[in-house]
Amino acid sequence: MPFRPLVFLLLCVGLAGIAHAQTTGKISGRVTEAATGAALPGVNVVIDGTTQGTTTDADGYYAILNVRPGTYAVRASFIGFTPQLVEGVRVQIDKTTDVNFSLGEQVIEGEEVVVTAERPLVQRDLTSTETAVSAEELSVLPVQSFQDVVNLQAGVVEGHFRGGRTGEVAYMVDGIPINDVFDHSFAFQVENNAIQEVAIISGTFNAEYGHAQSGVVNIVTKDGGATYEGNVSAYAGDFVTTDTDRFQRLDRLSPTDAYEVQGNLSGPVPGFGDRLTFFASGRFVHDEGFLYGRRIVEPVAAAQNEGQTVVIDGRSVFVPALGDSTFAPMNWGEQATGQLKLTTRVGSGGRLAVNGLLQHDEGQNYNHLFRYNPAGIPTVYGDSWSVTTTYSHVFGASSFLDVKGAYFVNEVQSYVYEDPLDPRYPRDDALRSLGGNFSFFRGGAQMQHFRRQTKTLVGKADFTSQLNRRHQAKAGVEARRHDLFVEDFAVKNNPATGFAPAIPPVATPDHVRYDVQPLELAAYVQDKMEFDYLVVNIGVRLDYFDASGEVLEDFGRPQSSPRRAAEAKWQVSPRVGLAYP
């Protein structure tokens, strides 16, 4: 099926009648007269320091939509009455914050009443199990990444929600899904100092959320402000123990074995004032880990009449080539990330944001059998980058539209030597001949070369409308086109290859390669009904998936059976959530 991103994006805009992008919240409440308790219509209610605001209706009620998560001060003012300012109003992603005002008649000109908002013990519209962590809370938590924040939540262990499997959690950044379609993990890291709020949902998702069985992690990144702000932080440390029989080389302290440097800078772009702002952040992490090996042997094969017998840990063993016996980290890792976000106002009701992220990873996974041959295990390299564009437009005081597009690339490679024909690759039977059961490898190397690359193009259109005081309607459409490439083969070096490294033929058990372009489409409609005694989220979601691949016609004959195109799948999912405040 051909894919035309521009055509589909226009279709998204046409279909999105009432939707939400899961990156903002709402402030609502009622304004009454202090003396009589009667409703005050026509009262101006604004978020202090911004242009966001509205007026109360005939019954004194108001609602301010499209409010980014954070802590604000809300002001209510009316001719003849004393203005009132409520400070410390916390807004969360996709939640309603109630702020009520009681205005008294003005006695002194210029007088203003300042009130500090109290966070309610019970979130009225919480129809799912959800936790929201703000930027202020992130800054004081003893965590290094948003994964650590997720793991602090009840029911979450090492990224697994309520016993769910790997790949069952949907990760979103600024309303854009960032899961890698290969294994459904998150494609890139978002640093804590760039997060405005992270919401962790672990059950009963609304119709707006898809591709999640166990949980949803929704991240909103920071914007630049009207003033220049920034910070830089660093730490250094090491692992130390006296149990050197199990943990080699950890009997001394070296602050360069584990360190991190990170910083961010934000503010207006010079020459544009506060109409164009930026937020930039970067982080570098180096960790040698706590598991070390020794280069007692080199990753070569056993040649006839070559090598020597040496004593290792009290045992006499034959090795083809001795190393230099230096220590080598075997579960080390490095990561470098960078982010730049530009935000600007477009006209009187528009907001445009462009966010770019870049990441590079390197590291090794410990293999105990290679304890004396650490050069024989592969190094894993990861590279990813993304560009996200979001345009938000407000229509009056009761509706707004979000149109989003994103493109990200995630690549992972693993190998001992980058060139699969590198002459340093040993014979492919070296590990068998130089290992054996319950013994360390005395030479040889892992011959596997692995590479995968995912390219994903995402288009979304979302619109929210507060129909009346009781109903907030939502609907949306989304398209994701993936280009998934995977190649996995084992280098051969044996008599059949003339004892020279060679790449086995494609489509054999030792060389797997495929390149597919699956397509995902989704649409939903939803209504949030807010009553004094009950809040209901009800909606329906439609998902469509075309694998763009082939399957066997007869699985009983995997080698000889002809293939046919895989059938597209679709599913309708009703969603209902109830909250009793």
Side-chain angles (χ1 to χ4, degrees), residues 134-319:
S134 66
E136 293 79 9
E137 293 169 326
L138 277 173
S139 64
V140 297
L141 284 174
V143 294
Q144 299 178 15
S145 66
F146 78 84
Q147 298 102 296
D148 296 332
V149 178
V150 173
N151 289 329
L152 287 176
Q153 309 311 312
V156 182
V157 178
E158 295 298 324
H160 299 266
F161 283 57
R162 294 178 172 178
R165 300 179 181 179
T166 301
E168 294 183 351
V169 180
Y171 294 91
M172 307 179 72
V173 175
D174 291 333
I176 297 291
I178 62 167
N179 290 80
D180 190 319
V181 71
F182 177 78
D183 56 4
H184 213 62
S185 62
F186 58 91
F188 46 82
Q189 177 78 27
V190 180
E191 302 303 342
N192 286 359
N193 60 10
I195 295 176
Q196 180 64 37
E197 181 170 293
V198 54
I200 301 130
I201 309 171
S202 56
T204 62
F205 317 116
N206 292 339
E208 55 197 310
Y209 296 106
H211 306 91
Q213 290 181 282
S214 297
V216 173
V217 178
N218 192 5
I219 299 170
V220 175
T221 59
K222 293 180 179 178
D223 287 343
T227 59
Y228 291 103
E229 299 179 3
N231 66 71
V232 177
S233 62
Y235 78 80
D238 197 8
F239 297 95
V240 179
T241 180
T242 57
D243 190 1
T244 54
D245 289 338
R246 293 187 179 90
F247 303 100
Q248 301 183 81
R249 199 178 175 267
L250 295 189
D251 56 347
R252 91 288 181 273
L253 180 64
S254 175
T256 61
D257 284 355
Y259 60 88
E260 172 188 307
V261 179
Q262 66 173 325
N264 63 74
L265 179 65
S266 64
V269 175
F272 291 89
D274 61 356
R275 291 196 62 85
L276 179 62
T277 62
F278 74 93
F279 183 92
S281 68
R283 180 175 181 241
F284 179 78
V285 181
H286 172 84
D287 187 354
E288 286 198 4
F290 56 90
L291 297 172
Y292 285 81
R294 294 189 66 180
R295 299 186 180 93
I296 292 180
V297 300
E298 293 292 333
V300 301
Q304 190 175 5
N305 300 323
E306 293 184 7
Q308 56 185 304
T309 300
V310 298
V311 177
I312 301 177
D313 288 347
R315 297 178 57 194
S316 296
V317 295
F318 171 81
V319 297

Side-chain angles (χ1 to χ4, degrees), residues 8 15 21 50 59 85 110 116 126 154 177 215 287 306 361 400 423 442:
F8 189 81
L15 292 178
T50 73
D59 296 319
L85 181 70
T116 300
L126 192 63
D287 187 354
E306 293 184 7
D361 300 271
F400 69 93
R442 293 164 286 142

Side-chain angles (χ1 to χ4, degrees), residues 27 44-54 62 64 67-77 83-91 97-101 112-118 136:
I27 299 175
N44 290 321
V45 183
V46 298
I47 300 176
D48 202 36
T50 73
T51 59
Q52 288 184 278
T54 186
Y62 75 93
I64 304 175
V67 183
R68 288 179 57 79
T71 302
Y72 300 93
V74 183
R75 186 188 307 274
S77 59
Q84 189 175 90
L85 181 70
V86 178
E87 298 178 331
V89 177
R90 169 77 182 278
V91 177
T97 300
D98 292 321
V99 180
N100 297 316
F101 295 89
E112 182 178 60
V113 177
V114 179
V115 179
T116 300
E118 294 185 4
E136 293 79 9

